[in-house]
């Protein structure tokens, strides 16, 4: 509960904002990949990579997919890569559960846009950290999230706890979030908070805004509880270890 500083206000349009911070030692306990494993750490925000119109199109993909299920609690996920979809208090495999009906939900254009957006975010992260984007690999989990104010029913619904991505997932080296709705317009609460010693740095979501950061303990973070409305975002994660890489989703 120290000082809170807003890194990115919803009403401002940021070309590029980047803050370098010292790396934690988390990366030392994993195999290092020269030219990719972070030696420069930090966090960035940009409104110049994905347009608001593209964000709206991506959000409609999330809305269509999540309309097939949804958590009983306030936090639902849709993973187009693995097929994981929140349904009640559990998860189902979207592709197995709905079979050929998937063709009626998503189109090839949806998946092409998804791939294009992912590639642009990957290139932006590589540029900010001075690495080659070809040395980064998409990793799991990469997923859509829909959060509302419904009370949590299981631990999967408790999205607001502080955590470190590298500690939680191991494979993560770079994390990004593409916001698909607007803070104070579409929902209240739900800001993204970096928890630094003695202070918090917040990012106010805005459709089309991309925030990205190195995944170690230098970027301990949490999401505030959503008090009203619905917050949509997609988490896109990258690893330096090709063994943990995943492919883009394919509409079969």
């Amino acid at each position: 509960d120290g000082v809170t500083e807003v890194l990115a206000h919803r009403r401002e349009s940021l070309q590029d904002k980047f803050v370098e911070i010292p790396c934690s030692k988390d990366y030392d306990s994993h195999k290092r990949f020269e030219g990719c494993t972070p030696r420069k750490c930090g966090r960035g925000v940009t409104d110049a990579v994905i347009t608001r119109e593209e964000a709206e199109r991506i959000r409609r993909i999330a809305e269509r997919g999540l309309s097939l299920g949804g958590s009983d609690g306030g936090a639902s996920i849709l993973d187009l890569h693995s097929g994981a979809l929140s349904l009640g208090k559990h998860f189902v495999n979207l592709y197995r559960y709905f079979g050929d009906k998937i063709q009626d939900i998503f189109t090839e254009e949806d998946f092409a846009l998804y791939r294009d957006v992912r590639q642009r975010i990957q290139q932006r992260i590589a540029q900010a950290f001075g690495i080659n984007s070809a040395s980064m690999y998409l990793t799991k989990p990469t997923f859509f999230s829909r959060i509302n104010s419904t009370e949590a029913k299981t631990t999967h619904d408790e999205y607001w706890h502080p955590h470190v991505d590298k500690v939680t997932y191991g494979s993560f080296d770079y994390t990004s979030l593409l916001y698909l709705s607007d803070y104070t317009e579409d929902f209240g609460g739900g800001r993204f908070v970096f928890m630094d010693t003695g202070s918090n740095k917040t990012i106010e979501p805005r459709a089309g805004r991309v925030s990205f950061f190195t995944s170690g303990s230098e970027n301990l973070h949490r999401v505030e509880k959503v008090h009203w409305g619905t917050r949509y975002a997609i988490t896109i994660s990258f690893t330096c270890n090709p063994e943990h890489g995943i492919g883009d989703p394919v509409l079969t």
Side-chain angles (χ1 to χ4, degrees):
D1 292 332
V3 179
T4 297
E5 176 190 337
V6 180
L7 273 184
H9 290 271
R10 185 195 53 94
R11 293 189 180 280
E12 63 184 332
S13 180
L14 294 167
Q15 187 68 27
D16 282 301
K17 185 169 192 172
F18 185 79
V19 180
E20 188 171 349
I21 51 179
C23 292
S24 64
K25 292 187 168 54
D26 293 353
Y27 309 98
D28 297 340
S29 55
H30 295 263
K31 184 177 177 184
R32 293 192 74 90
F33 292 85
E34 278 311 312
C36 181
T37 299
R39 293 199 177 278
K40 170 186 177 180
C41 291
R43 52 189 73 147
V45 188
T46 178
D47 296 312
V49 174
I50 310 300
T51 68
R52 288 181 69 84
E53 187 267 336
E54 287 169 331
E56 284 166 16
R57 286 169 60 201
I58 289 274
R59 189 182 73 227
R60 287 196 287 273
I61 298 171
E63 287 170 342
R64 289 199 301 274
L66 285 161
S67 72
L68 300 172
S71 166
D72 287 344
S76 301
I77 74 149
L78 165 65
D79 183 334
L80 291 179
H81 302 267
S82 69
L85 172 71
S86 302
L87 189 68
K89 293 185 176 64
H90 307 283
F91 294 94
V92 295
N93 184 304
L94 180 77
Y95 302 120
R96 284 206 295 270
Y97 200 76
F98 295 100
D100 293 341
K101 290 180 187 169
I102 287 300
Q103 307 279 354
D104 301 328
I105 307 296
F106 304 119
T107 65
E108 286 292 355
E109 288 79 11
D110 292 336
F111 279 55
L113 174 63
Y114 182 96
R115 286 192 298 272
D116 180 43
V117 163
R118 189 273 301 165
Q119 286 164 353
R120 276 185 272 157
I121 291 171
Q122 183 168 344
Q123 286 161 0
R124 180 67 197 92
I125 293 171
Q127 185 186 351
F129 290 102
I131 60 176
N132 183 344
S133 68
S135 66
M136 299 164 64
Y137 302 88
L138 197 63
T139 193
K140 61 182 182 183
T142 282
F143 58 93
F144 288 105
S145 58
R146 182 186 70 194
I147 304 175
N148 59 34
S149 58
T150 306
E151 186 182 344
K153 300 293 192 294
T154 72
T155 53
H156 291 298
D157 300 320
E158 296 182 15
Y159 56 85
W160 54 82
H161 299 296
H163 64 279
V164 171
D165 289 347
K166 188 80 182 156
V167 173
T168 304
Y169 301 111
S171 62
F172 282 30
D173 290 302
Y174 300 93
T175 306
S176 71
L177 291 137
L178 168 59
Y179 296 108
L180 305 173
S181 47
D182 291 317
Y183 172 66
T184 70
E185 290 280 321
D186 299 312
F187 61 91
R191 293 182 302 174
F192 185 95
V193 184
F194 289 111
M195 304 177 72
D196 296 339
T197 305
S199 74
N200 288 338
K201 311 287 194 309
T202 65
I203 292 173
E204 298 178 352
R206 164 191 167 101
R209 171 166 286 169
V210 177
S211 70
F212 57 90
F213 50 93
T214 44
S215 305
S217 301
E218 67 278 0
N219 281 313
L220 173 70
H221 61 274
R222 69 183 188 91
V223 172
E224 294 175 330
K225 286 187 181 182
V226 170
H227 302 307
W228 60 267
T230 306
R231 177 193 193 270
Y232 283 93
I234 177 168
T235 299
I236 303 177
S237 339
F238 298 98
T239 184
C240 295
N241 188 341
E243 291 178 14
H244 295 302
I246 61 172
D248 284 308
V250 178
L251 190 62
T252 51

